[in-house]
Structure formats: structure tokens, C-alpha cells
Amino acid sequence: MTFEVAGDSEQWVQVFDQTVNAAYPYSDNPEERLSKLGLSLISTKLNCWEENKFATFEVTPFEVEPVTEWLDAYFVRVLGCRSGEYHLDTAFVQI
């Protein structure tokens, strides 16, 4: 499933299996940035990333409520959305 901020295709997150792939508009290491931003609500392991493009994380265990809270925090703290003021478009892609 892809979540994209309505009206801004540069702010997106994809969730599949136990993986979160997300826009990452920075050149520094995602693990370090997320740690500094206090984004440790769930256990993630950085699988790969490309600066100024994306970061892919493995999430274990994958539990809906904590992952949902983490995704919201990612949109706000990493992608710069205003808490409670952004709206998401969703797309389901069958692989």
C-alpha cells in the first residue's frame, strides 16, 4: 500500500509485508536522523537507502497500531508534515 500526502507526490510511504519504504529527502544516514528525531516507537532495521530519494526499513514485529503511529511520526518529523493537518491518498498495488 502506498500513502502519499495529498497534493505532494514527494511525500510518500509504502508498506508491504514487514517492510516500510519511504521518501527520504536527506543526505545523512536515516538511522541517525530517526534516532535524533526520537522516532523509535517500533523496532526497525535499515535495509537500504539512497540519499535524497528513499529509505527502506524492516519492521519486526509488525503490529498495526505501533506501525501506524510510527508512520504518522515519520510524516511529521521526517517529511515535515504538520501534525493533524496533512491528508493522505492511498493506492493498493497487487504484486
Side-chain angles (χ1 to χ4, degrees):
M1 177 184 301
T2 299
F3 300 97
E4 185 177 288
V5 173
D8 190 347
S9 63
E10 298 296 313
Q11 297 179 313
W12 55 268
V13 172
Q14 297 171 321
V15 179
F16 53 97
D17 293 329
Q18 292 186 320
T19 304
V20 174
N21 183 48
Y24 188 73
Y26 305 100
S27 60
D28 59 338
N29 183 297
E31 288 178 314
E32 292 172 11
R33 178 172 291 272
L34 270 57
S35 178
K36 289 177 188 174
L37 294 173
L39 203 71
S40 59
L41 302 171
I42 58 175
S43 176
T44 61
K45 176 186 172 195
L46 182 65
N47 283 348
C48 63
W49 66 290
E50 189 172 330
E51 62 182 51
N52 301 310
K53 292 194 178 187
F54 70 90
T56 304
F57 304 91
E58 182 179 332
V59 180
T60 53
F62 195 95
E63 297 172 353
V64 175
E65 189 172 326
V67 170
T68 302
E69 291 172 3
W70 188 89
L71 292 175
D72 178 54
Y74 192 93
F75 274 108
V76 172
R77 297 180 194 168
V78 177
L79 298 180
C81 296
R82 296 186 78 158
S83 183
E85 296 183 21
Y86 68 96
H87 301 281
L88 298 175
D89 293 327
T90 57
F92 294 92
V93 178
Q94 188 169 353
I95 353 181

